Amino acid sequence: MSKILFVMTGADHWTLADGSQHPTGFWAEEAVAPYEAFKAAGHEIVVATPGGVVPTVDKGSLAAEVNGGQENADRIAGVLASAAELQRPLSLEDVRLDDYAAVFYPGGHGPMEDLAVDADSGRLLTAALESGKPLGVVCHAPAALLAATGADGSNAFAGRRVAAFTNAEETQAGFADKAKWLLQDRLTEAGVLVDVAEPWAPHVIVDGNLVTGQNPASSAPLAVELLKKLG
């Protein structure tokens, strides 16, 4: 059994361009699908958040219409309710990468608020990338890559191919004209190579030990790729 670190947002809102706060957190499917896959493979999961706060699920991600119906929405909510790891997160600043075989970042709009500017997370991501350990990041969680900067200001992930939530998807979700910035644009500005596929279709990119997914539908196939790397 290996330990897999889930680094999750501690934010319960996303500050929009007009200063208003959109209630959010992590996206349920993006945590649950990998959680179930890793547990089924016999791995232990440890959750860490900025400040060790219990992560908030985005209520919108529990709706029937984004989970293929009420039955699956209820199942996902049930998994979250029974996942004891979510109730006792470590503080991100106390995490030692050496304790884990792999690192995974689920998305939701929350990471746009906190992980995008979290220096502890940025250092962890840089170390994980350099370590060669499997590193999975999905949907809006690649916002955390923006904080992985060196002393010279360059991004540790510059030149890497990634999948991330696209401008087209943000537009279709109704937030592109409300956001302070768009993830695809900001990653591109940092020198990260964003590989764009059809909106909402599963899309996973493997670049060395880095495995990234474009959207919620990519979380389960991303987990499969991460498990392959764990062998």
Side-chain angles (χ1 to χ4, degrees):
M1 177 191 286
S2 299
K3 275 203 227 179
I4 299 177
L5 179 69
F6 271 44
V7 179
M8 301 181 68
T9 179
D12 62 4
H13 67 274
W14 177 33
T15 305
L16 301 177
D18 65 1
S20 64
Q21 293 186 349
H22 171 67
T24 188
F26 69 89
W27 197 259
E29 181 183 4
E30 295 167 28
V32 168
Y35 177 90
E36 291 187 305
F38 299 154
K39 295 279 272 196
H43 299 294
E44 182 183 344
I45 290 169
V46 176
V47 173
T49 63
V53 303
V54 174
T56 299
V57 64
D58 187 315
K59 297 291 192 294
S61 69
L62 296 175
E65 56 267 27
V66 296
N67 289 296
Q70 192 60 51
E71 185 177 347
N72 194 48
D74 290 344
R75 187 190 70 78
I76 285 176
V79 174
L80 290 176
S82 64
E85 298 94 338
L86 291 172
Q87 301 307 314
R88 49 170 191 268
L90 301 177
S91 180
L92 199 45
E93 63 191 17
D94 297 331
V95 165
R96 290 178 65 255
L97 179 62
D98 290 347
D99 294 338
Y100 304 96
V103 179
F104 172 66
Y105 278 65
H109 278 116
M112 301 277 282
E113 184 74 20
D114 61 353
L115 297 179
V117 293
D118 190 289
D120 292 316
S121 173
R123 283 190 288 272
L124 177 69
L125 283 165
T126 302
L129 186 68
E130 292 172 351
S131 74
K133 292 181 179 184
L135 171 60
V137 194
V138 70
C139 199
H140 282 94
L145 307 187
L146 298 171
T149 52
D152 62 355
S154 66
N155 192 284
F157 291 83
R160 292 287 191 145
R161 289 178 65 233
V162 306
F165 203 69
T166 64
N167 290 357
E169 286 166 323
E170 202 70 85
T171 299
Q172 291 177 24
F175 287 106
D177 59 346
K178 300 173 184 173
K180 288 182 180 179
W181 49 272
L182 297 177
L183 180 57
Q184 180 185 332
D185 291 347
R186 191 63 69 84
L187 287 170
T188 301
E189 289 164 11
V192 182
L193 308 176
V194 182
D195 193 293
V196 176
E198 286 297 312
W200 313 110
H203 181 53
V204 174
I205 294 289
V206 179
D207 184 346
N209 60 317
L210 177 64
V211 185
T212 51
Q214 180 170 309
N215 45 38
S218 306
S219 53
L222 183 153
V224 170
E225 293 297 331
L226 215 60
L227 284 170
K228 283 183 193 172
K229 291 187 172 298
L230 280 171

